[in-house]
Amino acid sequence: MSLLVTGLTAYVEQNEKQLVSQSLFEARTQQMIVAEGNVMTGVKSSQTVNRMATDVFFQDDSSCGFAASGTTEFTQRTLTVGKVKTQEIICPKDLEGKYLQKALTAGSNYETFAFAQEYTGLKAGLIAEALEVAIWTATGSGYGGTNGLLNKFKGIKQLVSDAGATVVDANVTGFYGSGAPITGIDTMDKAKAAVLAVIKALPAKIKGKNDVRIFVGWDTYDLLIAKYVDLNLYHYNPGTVNNQPNAEFKVPGTSYSVIPVHGLTGTNDIYAFRMSNIYLGVDLQGEEDNFEMWYSQDDRNMKFSASFKIGVQFAFMDEIVKFEA
């Protein structure tokens, strides 16, 4: 005699106490602006970035007298925040017919969510991930954007586009060399040449400033690093921030750092500007990290809600360099 088990499906152990979350990236650009201290709080809709410019005119001082010269100008740029929310309803009863039912409390009324900590952690990470992309590529309302993640405020690319010729274009023969303008940064040589063109195109008034950063997508960054390694320049050292790898590459022979950001991955675009030139507008700093999750007695569901306001703006558009391929 022997056991007959051909009518049973193969056993697969299911651990109802373990959930594996997807990989997420952080809102690096937002963190860098916050670290610079350029955060405007209390912005309910729009607020101005106030600018002052003046000039100097040297005169002959071989005789007495006073002759005024020069002009001081006050101007403004408007930072408009997007009003964003994300909400979800969770019905714990949906888990009763699945292996996850083992994580439910006894009884038919579930006033807690067994995976609340994992769920809210994943939500917070996804919000940060979406904001990183939006800060760079959001088109704002009225620009034909239908993607809910990208139509709440104007990101850096749209602000640069709106500024037109005010922003320095490095994808031209004078900076990139022969063959410009190019389409696509798809080789190591193009990545290296594009970054060097951006450095060459930096306006004289911001050259050498210690807060100039060059931002690229991770795809361009990988090509750039591969090119310098191919040239036997193996001194790339990303360093660490908060005990985490801090991808950053100082271009050999210069004082400028290249920063990879997920918001530019796949765009074939490069931007350079001073960190002191960009502002983040919010109603309450860190508001995107605050959320509510509660049990609703009226419909017996768990509910999640997060609301915040956010936007970006530059003070001086003529201090920005773009390389759009």
Side-chain angles (χ1 to χ4, degrees), residues 6 29 33 36 59 72-73 105-106 108 122-123 143 175 182 187 205 208-209 215 226 232 239 247 278 298 308 314 320:
T6 55
T29 308
I33 300 173
E36 184 67 27
Q59 303 180 50
T72 297
E73 181 182 15
T105 57
S108 298
L122 184 57
K123 279 288 191 183
Y143 280 74
F175 298 125
I182 65 167
T187 67
K205 56 186 173 182
K209 300 296 184 182
F215 292 94
N232 292 322
I278 188 170
D298 57 348
F308 54 91
F314 289 98
I320 302 171

PDB file of all heavy atoms in Angstrom, residues 6 29 33 36 59 72-73 105-106 108 122-123 143 175 182 187 205 208-209 215 226 232 239 247 278 298 308 314 320:
ATOM      1  N   THR A   6      -1.879  12.119  -6.225  1.00  0.00           N
ATOM      2  CA  THR A   6      -1.910  12.763  -7.543  1.00  0.00           C
ATOM      3  C   THR A   6      -3.027  13.796  -7.664  1.00  0.00           C
ATOM      4  O   THR A   6      -2.987  14.673  -8.523  1.00  0.00           O
ATOM      5  CB  THR A   6      -2.086  11.701  -8.645  1.00  0.00           C
ATOM      6  OG1 THR A   6      -3.258  10.918  -8.351  1.00  0.00           O
ATOM      7  CG2 THR A   6      -0.865  10.788  -8.704  1.00  0.00           C
ATOM      8  N   THR A  29      16.649  65.408  -5.569  1.00  0.00           N
ATOM      9  CA  THR A  29      16.684  66.825  -5.923  1.00  0.00           C
ATOM     10  C   THR A  29      16.042  67.665  -4.838  1.00  0.00           C
ATOM     11  O   THR A  29      16.570  68.712  -4.435  1.00  0.00           O
ATOM     12  CB  THR A  29      15.957  67.054  -7.259  1.00  0.00           C
ATOM     13  OG1 THR A  29      16.489  66.159  -8.248  1.00  0.00           O
ATOM     14  CG2 THR A  29      16.142  68.484  -7.732  1.00  0.00           C
ATOM     15  N   ILE A  33      17.797  70.704  -2.457  1.00  0.00           N
ATOM     16  CA  ILE A  33      17.299  72.070  -2.325  1.00  0.00           C
ATOM     17  C   ILE A  33      17.051  72.398  -0.852  1.00  0.00           C
ATOM     18  O   ILE A  33      17.383  73.485  -0.375  1.00  0.00           O
ATOM     19  CB  ILE A  33      16.010  72.262  -3.144  1.00  0.00           C
ATOM     20  CG1 ILE A  33      16.270  71.993  -4.629  1.00  0.00           C
ATOM     21  CG2 ILE A  33      15.470  73.682  -2.968  1.00  0.00           C
ATOM     22  CD1 ILE A  33      15.012  71.991  -5.483  1.00  0.00           C
ATOM     23  N   GLU A  36      20.189  73.163   0.939  1.00  0.00           N
ATOM     24  CA  GLU A  36      20.681  74.498   0.623  1.00  0.00           C
ATOM     25  C   GLU A  36      19.965  75.557   1.443  1.00  0.00           C
ATOM     26  O   GLU A  36      20.463  76.664   1.618  1.00  0.00           O
ATOM     27  CB  GLU A  36      20.482  74.773  -0.880  1.00  0.00           C
ATOM     28  CG  GLU A  36      21.031  76.094  -1.367  1.00  0.00           C
ATOM     29  CD  GLU A  36      22.548  76.168  -1.318  1.00  0.00           C
ATOM     30  OE1 GLU A  36      23.211  75.118  -1.404  1.00  0.00           O
ATOM     31  OE2 GLU A  36      23.068  77.299  -1.202  1.00  0.00           O
ATOM     32  N   GLN A  59      34.383 105.837 -12.405  1.00  0.00           N
ATOM     33  CA  GLN A  59      34.544 107.211 -12.898  1.00  0.00           C
ATOM     34  C   GLN A  59      35.940 107.741 -12.569  1.00  0.00           C
ATOM     35  O   GLN A  59      36.644 107.190 -11.724  1.00  0.00           O
ATOM     36  CB  GLN A  59      33.489 108.121 -12.252  1.00  0.00           C
ATOM     37  CG  GLN A  59      32.050 107.677 -12.470  1.00  0.00           C
ATOM     38  CD  GLN A  59      31.067 108.617 -11.815  1.00  0.00           C
ATOM     39  OE1 GLN A  59      31.156 109.832 -12.010  1.00  0.00           O
ATOM     40  NE2 GLN A  59      30.158 108.067 -11.026  1.00  0.00           N
ATOM     41  N   THR A  72      20.120 100.143  -9.876  1.00  0.00           N
ATOM     42  CA  THR A  72      19.750  98.995  -9.066  1.00  0.00           C
ATOM     43  C   THR A  72      18.307  98.652  -9.374  1.00  0.00           C
ATOM     44  O   THR A  72      17.422  99.513  -9.315  1.00  0.00           O
ATOM     45  CB  THR A  72      19.907  99.288  -7.568  1.00  0.00           C
ATOM     46  OG1 THR A  72      21.289  99.544  -7.288  1.00  0.00           O
ATOM     47  CG2 THR A  72      19.445  98.099  -6.728  1.00  0.00           C
ATOM     48  N   GLU A  73      18.060  97.393  -9.737  1.00  0.00           N
ATOM     49  CA  GLU A  73      16.735  96.974 -10.176  1.00  0.00           C
ATOM     50  C   GLU A  73      16.201  95.854  -9.295  1.00  0.00           C
ATOM     51  O   GLU A  73      16.924  94.914  -8.948  1.00  0.00           O
ATOM     52  CB  GLU A  73      16.807  96.494 -11.627  1.00  0.00           C
ATOM     53  CG  GLU A  73      15.457  96.051 -12.198  1.00  0.00           C
ATOM     54  CD  GLU A  73      15.577  95.532 -13.619  1.00  0.00           C
ATOM     55  OE1 GLU A  73      16.713  95.244 -14.049  1.00  0.00           O
ATOM     56  OE2 GLU A  73      14.540  95.408 -14.292  1.00  0.00           O
ATOM     57  N   THR A 105      -7.382  39.868  12.266  1.00  0.00           N
ATOM     58  CA  THR A 105      -7.780  39.622  13.655  1.00  0.00           C
ATOM     59  C   THR A 105      -9.039  38.768  13.677  1.00  0.00           C
ATOM     60  O   THR A 105      -9.789  38.692  12.696  1.00  0.00           O
ATOM     61  CB  THR A 105      -8.042  40.952  14.378  1.00  0.00           C
ATOM     62  OG1 THR A 105      -9.048  41.683  13.657  1.00  0.00           O
ATOM     63  CG2 THR A 105      -6.776  41.789  14.445  1.00  0.00           C
ATOM     64  N   ALA A 106      -9.299  38.145  14.820  1.00  0.00           N
ATOM     65  CA  ALA A 106     -10.480  37.306  14.961  1.00  0.00           C
ATOM     66  C   ALA A 106     -11.742  38.168  14.911  1.00  0.00           C
ATOM     67  O   ALA A 106     -11.763  39.311  15.358  1.00  0.00           O
ATOM     68  CB  ALA A 106     -10.412  36.536  16.275  1.00  0.00           C
ATOM     69  N   SER A 108     -15.443  39.451  12.602  1.00  0.00           N
ATOM     70  CA  SER A 108     -15.811  39.910  11.265  1.00  0.00           C
ATOM     71  C   SER A 108     -15.587  41.392  11.046  1.00  0.00           C
ATOM     72  O   SER A 108     -15.748  41.880   9.927  1.00  0.00           O
ATOM     73  CB  SER A 108     -17.289  39.574  10.999  1.00  0.00           C
ATOM     74  OG  SER A 108     -17.490  38.177  11.029  1.00  0.00           O
ATOM     75  N   LEU A 122       5.654  51.990   2.117  1.00  0.00           N
ATOM     76  CA  LEU A 122       5.713  51.890   0.664  1.00  0.00           C
ATOM     77  C   LEU A 122       5.055  53.115   0.016  1.00  0.00           C
ATOM     78  O   LEU A 122       5.567  53.660  -0.966  1.00  0.00           O
ATOM     79  CB  LEU A 122       5.012  50.616   0.209  1.00  0.00           C
ATOM     80  CG  LEU A 122       5.049  50.300  -1.293  1.00  0.00           C
ATOM     81  CD1 LEU A 122       6.478  50.224  -1.805  1.00  0.00           C
ATOM     82  CD2 LEU A 122       4.301  49.000  -1.577  1.00  0.00           C
ATOM     83  N   LYS A 123       3.943  53.570   0.572  1.00  0.00           N
ATOM     84  CA  LYS A 123       3.270  54.761   0.054  1.00  0.00           C
ATOM     85  C   LYS A 123       4.180  55.982   0.135  1.00  0.00           C
ATOM     86  O   LYS A 123       4.284  56.765  -0.816  1.00  0.00           O
ATOM     87  CB  LYS A 123       1.981  55.020   0.843  1.00  0.00           C
ATOM     88  CG  LYS A 123       0.806  54.194   0.423  1.00  0.00           C
ATOM     89  CD  LYS A 123       0.243  54.632  -0.924  1.00  0.00           C
ATOM     90  CE  LYS A 123      -1.083  53.971  -1.218  1.00  0.00           C
ATOM     91  NZ  LYS A 123      -1.602  54.323  -2.556  1.00  0.00           N
ATOM     92  N   TYR A 143      -0.671  72.769 -20.015  1.00  0.00           N
ATOM     93  CA  TYR A 143       0.385  72.417 -20.973  1.00  0.00           C
ATOM     94  C   TYR A 143       0.119  71.068 -21.622  1.00  0.00           C
ATOM     95  O   TYR A 143       1.009  70.415 -22.122  1.00  0.00           O
ATOM     96  CB  TYR A 143       1.746  72.403 -20.269  1.00  0.00           C
ATOM     97  CG  TYR A 143       2.333  73.778 -20.095  1.00  0.00           C
ATOM     98  CD1 TYR A 143       1.822  74.643 -19.142  1.00  0.00           C
ATOM     99  CD2 TYR A 143       3.371  74.221 -20.899  1.00  0.00           C
ATOM    100  CE1 TYR A 143       2.345  75.922 -18.985  1.00  0.00           C
ATOM    101  CE2 TYR A 143       3.893  75.496 -20.752  1.00  0.00           C
ATOM    102  CZ  TYR A 143       3.382  76.338 -19.789  1.00  0.00           C
ATOM    103  OH  TYR A 143       3.891  77.594 -19.639  1.00  0.00           O
ATOM    104  N   PHE A 175      30.062  75.086 -28.293  1.00  0.00           N
ATOM    105  CA  PHE A 175      30.394  74.428 -27.022  1.00  0.00           C
ATOM    106  C   PHE A 175      30.636  72.927 -27.189  1.00  0.00           C
ATOM    107  O   PHE A 175      31.589  72.381 -26.655  1.00  0.00           O
ATOM    108  CB  PHE A 175      29.267  74.659 -26.006  1.00  0.00           C
ATOM    109  CG  PHE A 175      29.050  76.099 -25.655  1.00  0.00           C
ATOM    110  CD1 PHE A 175      27.802  76.690 -25.801  1.00  0.00           C
ATOM    111  CD2 PHE A 175      30.098  76.883 -25.190  1.00  0.00           C
ATOM    112  CE1 PHE A 175      27.597  78.020 -25.477  1.00  0.00           C
ATOM    113  CE2 PHE A 175      29.907  78.217 -24.863  1.00  0.00           C
ATOM    114  CZ  PHE A 175      28.652  78.791 -25.004  1.00  0.00           C
ATOM    115  N   ILE A 182      23.300  67.530 -31.346  1.00  0.00           N
ATOM    116  CA  ILE A 182      23.156  66.087 -31.443  1.00  0.00           C
ATOM    117  C   ILE A 182      21.786  65.675 -30.926  1.00  0.00           C
ATOM    118  O   ILE A 182      21.145  66.404 -30.168  1.00  0.00           O
ATOM    119  CB  ILE A 182      24.254  65.348 -30.665  1.00  0.00           C
ATOM    120  CG1 ILE A 182      24.138  65.627 -29.155  1.00  0.00           C
ATOM    121  CG2 ILE A 182      25.624  65.712 -31.181  1.00  0.00           C
ATOM    122  CD1 ILE A 182      24.976  64.716 -28.293  1.00  0.00           C
ATOM    123  N   THR A 187      26.145  57.242 -26.321  1.00  0.00           N
ATOM    124  CA  THR A 187      27.477  56.647 -26.321  1.00  0.00           C
ATOM    125  C   THR A 187      28.322  57.292 -25.224  1.00  0.00           C
ATOM    126  O   THR A 187      27.998  58.388 -24.741  1.00  0.00           O
ATOM    127  CB  THR A 187      28.196  56.849 -27.669  1.00  0.00           C
ATOM    128  OG1 THR A 187      28.472  58.250 -27.851  1.00  0.00           O
ATOM    129  CG2 THR A 187      27.345  56.335 -28.822  1.00  0.00           C
ATOM    130  N   LYS A 205      29.830  84.585 -14.775  1.00  0.00           N
ATOM    131  CA  LYS A 205      29.520  85.011 -13.402  1.00  0.00           C
ATOM    132  C   LYS A 205      29.267  83.857 -12.442  1.00  0.00           C
ATOM    133  O   LYS A 205      29.251  84.057 -11.225  1.00  0.00           O
ATOM    134  CB  LYS A 205      28.319  85.953 -13.402  1.00  0.00           C
ATOM    135  CG  LYS A 205      27.067  85.409 -14.030  1.00  0.00           C
ATOM    136  CD  LYS A 205      26.013  86.507 -14.090  1.00  0.00           C
ATOM    137  CE  LYS A 205      24.778  86.076 -14.861  1.00  0.00           C
ATOM    138  NZ  LYS A 205      23.779  87.163 -14.947  1.00  0.00           N
ATOM    139  N   GLY A 208      33.258  78.682 -11.312  1.00  0.00           N
ATOM    140  CA  GLY A 208      34.037  78.607 -10.087  1.00  0.00           C
ATOM    141  C   GLY A 208      33.225  78.682  -8.813  1.00  0.00           C
ATOM    142  O   GLY A 208      33.780  78.513  -7.722  1.00  0.00           O
ATOM    143  N   LYS A 209      31.926  78.938  -8.891  1.00  0.00           N
ATOM    144  CA  LYS A 209      31.099  78.968  -7.693  1.00  0.00           C
ATOM    145  C   LYS A 209      30.987  77.553  -7.132  1.00  0.00           C
ATOM    146  O   LYS A 209      30.767  76.589  -7.865  1.00  0.00           O
ATOM    147  CB  LYS A 209      29.709  79.525  -8.002  1.00  0.00           C
ATOM    148  CG  LYS A 209      29.710  80.952  -8.559  1.00  0.00           C
ATOM    149  CD  LYS A 209      30.255  81.950  -7.548  1.00  0.00           C
ATOM    150  CE  LYS A 209      30.152  83.379  -8.066  1.00  0.00           C
ATOM    151  NZ  LYS A 209      30.716  84.366  -7.121  1.00  0.00           N
ATOM    152  N   PHE A 215      23.428  68.264 -13.492  1.00  0.00           N
ATOM    153  CA  PHE A 215      22.485  67.170 -13.278  1.00  0.00           C
ATOM    154  C   PHE A 215      22.262  66.392 -14.572  1.00  0.00           C
ATOM    155  O   PHE A 215      22.026  66.974 -15.637  1.00  0.00           O
ATOM    156  CB  PHE A 215      21.150  67.719 -12.767  1.00  0.00           C
ATOM    157  CG  PHE A 215      21.230  68.294 -11.382  1.00  0.00           C
ATOM    158  CD1 PHE A 215      21.458  69.650 -11.192  1.00  0.00           C
ATOM    159  CD2 PHE A 215      21.086  67.483 -10.267  1.00  0.00           C
ATOM    160  CE1 PHE A 215      21.539  70.193  -9.913  1.00  0.00           C
ATOM    161  CE2 PHE A 215      21.159  68.010  -8.989  1.00  0.00           C
ATOM    162  CZ  PHE A 215      21.397  69.373  -8.807  1.00  0.00           C
ATOM    163  N   ALA A 226      31.694  55.190 -17.313  1.00  0.00           N
ATOM    164  CA  ALA A 226      32.335  54.162 -18.135  1.00  0.00           C
ATOM    165  C   ALA A 226      33.403  54.769 -19.036  1.00  0.00           C
ATOM    166  O   ALA A 226      34.462  54.156 -19.258  1.00  0.00           O
ATOM    167  CB  ALA A 226      31.282  53.441 -18.975  1.00  0.00           C
ATOM    168  N   ASN A 232      41.228  54.940 -18.292  1.00  0.00           N
ATOM    169  CA  ASN A 232      42.112  54.545 -17.189  1.00  0.00           C
ATOM    170  C   ASN A 232      42.166  55.586 -16.082  1.00  0.00           C
ATOM    171  O   ASN A 232      43.167  55.704 -15.358  1.00  0.00           O
ATOM    172  CB  ASN A 232      43.545  54.264 -17.696  1.00  0.00           C
ATOM    173  CG  ASN A 232      43.601  53.026 -18.565  1.00  0.00           C
ATOM    174  OD1 ASN A 232      42.924  52.043 -18.292  1.00  0.00           O
ATOM    175  ND2 ASN A 232      44.389  53.084 -19.621  1.00  0.00           N
ATOM    176  N   GLY A 239      31.802  58.437  -2.462  1.00  0.00           N
ATOM    177  CA  GLY A 239      31.628  58.857  -1.084  1.00  0.00           C
ATOM    178  C   GLY A 239      30.297  58.377  -0.533  1.00  0.00           C
ATOM    179  O   GLY A 239      29.552  57.635  -1.166  1.00  0.00           O
ATOM    180  N   ALA A 247      26.188  58.865  -5.108  1.00  0.00           N
ATOM    181  CA  ALA A 247      26.696  58.931  -6.470  1.00  0.00           C
ATOM    182  C   ALA A 247      26.942  60.381  -6.865  1.00  0.00           C
ATOM    183  O   ALA A 247      26.018  61.182  -6.934  1.00  0.00           O
ATOM    184  CB  ALA A 247      25.710  58.266  -7.424  1.00  0.00           C
ATOM    185  N   ILE A 278      17.877  77.937  -7.041  1.00  0.00           N
ATOM    186  CA  ILE A 278      16.615  77.221  -7.161  1.00  0.00           C
ATOM    187  C   ILE A 278      15.902  77.194  -5.812  1.00  0.00           C
ATOM    188  O   ILE A 278      16.532  77.033  -4.765  1.00  0.00           O
ATOM    189  CB  ILE A 278      16.818  75.791  -7.709  1.00  0.00           C
ATOM    190  CG1 ILE A 278      15.469  75.143  -8.008  1.00  0.00           C
ATOM    191  CG2 ILE A 278      17.668  74.936  -6.781  1.00  0.00           C
ATOM    192  CD1 ILE A 278      15.572  73.839  -8.779  1.00  0.00           C
ATOM    193  N   ASP A 298     -18.397  54.070   9.201  1.00  0.00           N
ATOM    194  CA  ASP A 298     -19.599  54.157   8.363  1.00  0.00           C
ATOM    195  C   ASP A 298     -19.606  53.121   7.245  1.00  0.00           C
ATOM    196  O   ASP A 298     -20.659  52.572   6.906  1.00  0.00           O
ATOM    197  CB  ASP A 298     -19.772  55.569   7.795  1.00  0.00           C
ATOM    198  CG  ASP A 298     -18.564  56.018   6.992  1.00  0.00           C
ATOM    199  OD1 ASP A 298     -17.524  55.340   7.071  1.00  0.00           O
ATOM    200  OD2 ASP A 298     -18.672  57.041   6.285  1.00  0.00           O
ATOM    201  N   PHE A 308      -0.614  67.664   0.177  1.00  0.00           N
ATOM    202  CA  PHE A 308       0.506  68.592   0.324  1.00  0.00           C
ATOM    203  C   PHE A 308       0.548  69.531  -0.872  1.00  0.00           C
ATOM    204  O   PHE A 308      -0.129  69.323  -1.876  1.00  0.00           O
ATOM    205  CB  PHE A 308       1.835  67.835   0.446  1.00  0.00           C
ATOM    206  CG  PHE A 308       2.091  66.855  -0.664  1.00  0.00           C
ATOM    207  CD1 PHE A 308       2.781  67.226  -1.815  1.00  0.00           C
ATOM    208  CD2 PHE A 308       1.654  65.548  -0.551  1.00  0.00           C
ATOM    209  CE1 PHE A 308       3.015  66.326  -2.841  1.00  0.00           C
ATOM    210  CE2 PHE A 308       1.878  64.621  -1.574  1.00  0.00           C
ATOM    211  CZ  PHE A 308       2.562  65.015  -2.714  1.00  0.00           C
ATOM    212  N   PHE A 314      13.200  79.170 -10.230  1.00  0.00           N
ATOM    213  CA  PHE A 314      14.542  79.740 -10.241  1.00  0.00           C
ATOM    214  C   PHE A 314      14.457  81.248 -10.034  1.00  0.00           C
ATOM    215  O   PHE A 314      13.457  81.880 -10.367  1.00  0.00           O
ATOM    216  CB  PHE A 314      15.236  79.468 -11.578  1.00  0.00           C
ATOM    217  CG  PHE A 314      15.623  78.036 -11.797  1.00  0.00           C
ATOM    218  CD1 PHE A 314      14.821  77.190 -12.547  1.00  0.00           C
ATOM    219  CD2 PHE A 314      16.794  77.521 -11.241  1.00  0.00           C
ATOM    220  CE1 PHE A 314      15.173  75.868 -12.756  1.00  0.00           C
ATOM    221  CE2 PHE A 314      17.155  76.204 -11.443  1.00  0.00           C
ATOM    222  CZ  PHE A 314      16.344  75.365 -12.200  1.00  0.00           C
ATOM    223  N   ILE A 320      21.530  79.541 -15.923  1.00  0.00           N
ATOM    224  CA  ILE A 320      21.281  78.109 -16.125  1.00  0.00           C
ATOM    225  C   ILE A 320      21.835  77.699 -17.492  1.00  0.00           C
ATOM    226  O   ILE A 320      21.726  78.441 -18.470  1.00  0.00           O
ATOM    227  CB  ILE A 320      19.770  77.815 -16.071  1.00  0.00           C
ATOM    228  CG1 ILE A 320      19.186  78.271 -14.739  1.00  0.00           C
ATOM    229  CG2 ILE A 320      19.506  76.318 -16.281  1.00  0.00           C
ATOM    230  CD1 ILE A 320      17.677  78.212 -14.690  1.00  0.00           C
TER     231      ILE A 320
END
